[in-house]
Amino acid sequence: MASSSSVVLEEMGTGSGSDSNSRSRTRGFILKAAFLLGGALLLKKLTKSTTRWDHARIVAEALSGEKFSREQAARDPDNYFNLRMLTCPATVMVDGSRVLYFEQAFWRTPQKPFRQRFYMVKPCPKEMKCVVEVSSFAIKDAEEYKNFCDRPKDQRPKDEEVLGDIADHLTTIHLSRCERGKRCLYEGSTPPGGYPNSWQNGATYCTSELTVLKNNEIHTWDRGHDEEGNQVWGAKEGPYEFKPAPTSRHDNMFSPLNALPLLLDKKKEESFVSQD
């Protein structure tokens, strides 16, 4: 009798162990499947292709904000001014194109911009090799937009006013993604031959180059040329390098970097401004 009971207990124990192993294998399979599924979803998310509108958004955001050419002016004061570049969203077109307001001024007179523009940022047409196009437009009443980005939103022109104030088309730059190994994210220029321009010094057309780097650094190079292709205005040594403003916008005005423009000949500044 004891022998029979022992056999029964053994069989029960064996069955219990078998069930436990089966549950462990099932649980392991479920965990493995969940891990593989999660990995697949993560990989899909990481490798998801960036759309043309994503590229346009990235460029628009990189252009936005307050930036200065302070460091470049410190390195080469003979060829570059310490300029302030300020850009911010103005409105969005029906097709999704982003309209930005842009102005440039000397760092010490930000309230007196000498260049004002609307930028329209949108994807390049599908048939083109570029990914983003940045077009610049004149402003009908530029005086009304001075220091647009510095004002509270309720004191800025409304969306419908902005759309009505977009005037003549000036230039369009076609941007492509930078090759691997370069510091930049996007780079491009106006088409060969540029755009008509007669601002000064006998210029008949102008060309522009734009580079978007990491950390929202922007390089711009605008130049005017005469009929023979000779450069008659604009920086000659290379593009202006604009870096985002430091955390504090109210730097010590007597620092070596900020003091440089105070030493510049006033006529030189006036000559620079008259190019626009």
Side-chain angles (χ1 to χ4, degrees):
M1 190 73 179
S3 176
S4 297
S5 299
S6 176
V7 170
V8 171
L9 289 172
E10 267 183 39
E11 288 178 351
M12 290 178 63
T14 303
S16 177
S18 177
D19 290 345
S20 177
N21 290 338
S22 177
R23 284 195 298 271
S24 294
R25 285 196 297 270
T26 301
R27 188 161 52 245
F29 175 78
I30 292 173
L31 289 173
K32 185 177 181 181
F35 176 78
L36 291 174
L37 179 61
L41 292 174
L42 178 61
L43 181 63
K44 183 178 180 181
K45 184 176 181 180
L46 292 175
T47 57
K48 182 182 178 181
S49 60
T50 305
T51 68
R52 296 183 309 134
W53 285 104
D54 288 333
H55 288 299
R57 173 184 55 78
I58 292 170
V59 169
E61 290 176 354
L63 287 170
S64 299
E66 184 183 38
K67 308 177 195 296
F68 290 90
S69 58
R70 179 186 293 113
E71 292 183 17
Q72 188 179 34
R75 293 195 313 267
D76 189 359
D78 291 333
N79 291 296
Y80 298 96
F81 295 94
N82 181 5
L83 302 180
R84 180 204 195 211
M85 169 182 169
L86 184 61
T87 312
C88 63
T91 190
V92 178
M93 305 289 284
V94 175
D95 66 355
S97 302
R98 296 170 182 247
V99 179
L100 309 176
Y101 170 75
F102 157 88
E103 67 182 23
Q104 264 185 9
F106 293 104
W107 75 272
R108 53 186 171 136
T109 54
Q111 74 282 5
K112 297 179 180 179
F114 58 80
R115 181 177 293 173
Q116 297 171 262
R117 298 282 185 267
F118 281 132
Y119 283 157
M120 189 177 295
V121 184
K122 63 181 180 179
C124 284
K126 290 184 178 180
E127 63 272 14
M128 297 185 68
K129 294 182 179 180
C130 57
V131 292
V132 179
E133 64 177 40
V134 180
S135 298
S136 64
F137 294 82
I139 302 174
K140 283 185 179 178
D141 186 2
E143 190 69 25
E144 183 182 350
Y145 286 84
K146 280 187 175 180
N147 309 124
F148 175 90
C149 302
D150 290 322
R151 302 184 219 164
K153 289 189 176 181
D154 61 356
Q155 295 180 21
R156 301 176 181 177
K158 306 303 180 186
D159 287 359
E160 57 272 18
E161 295 178 78
V162 171
L163 294 175
D165 286 334
I166 298 175
D168 297 336
H169 170 260
L170 301 174
T171 63
T172 294
I173 296 174
H174 299 110
L175 296 176
S176 299
R177 297 186 68 177
C178 295
E179 297 178 0
R180 290 196 176 191
K182 284 191 171 184
R183 287 182 56 230
C184 59
L185 301 176
Y186 302 90
E187 62 182 349
S189 63
T190 47
Y195 289 90
N197 175 278
S198 56
W199 287 338
Q200 74 161 29
N201 295 347
T204 57
Y205 71 96
C206 68
T207 59
S208 295
E209 296 180 18
L210 174 64
T211 304
V212 178
L213 294 89
K214 297 178 181 179
N215 301 319
N216 294 335
E217 182 177 342
I218 299 293
H219 292 185
T220 64
W221 199 1
D222 301 320
R223 289 170 288 175
H225 310 267
D226 62 20
E227 292 182 350
E228 285 72 42
N230 301 308
Q231 182 178 342
V232 293
W233 62 255
K236 294 184 177 181
E237 301 301 319
Y240 262 87
E241 301 172 2
F242 290 96
K243 296 186 178 183
T247 304
S248 172
R249 291 174 51 177
H250 304 287
D251 299 325
N252 178 5
M253 69 175 293
F254 297 108
S255 73
L257 293 181
N258 281 342
L260 280 169
L262 297 174
L263 305 176
L264 295 172
D265 184 350
K266 186 65 177 177
K267 291 183 178 180
K268 187 179 178 184
E269 289 189 0
E270 292 173 351
S271 174
F272 179 85
V273 173
S274 67
Q275 293 172 6
D276 204 34

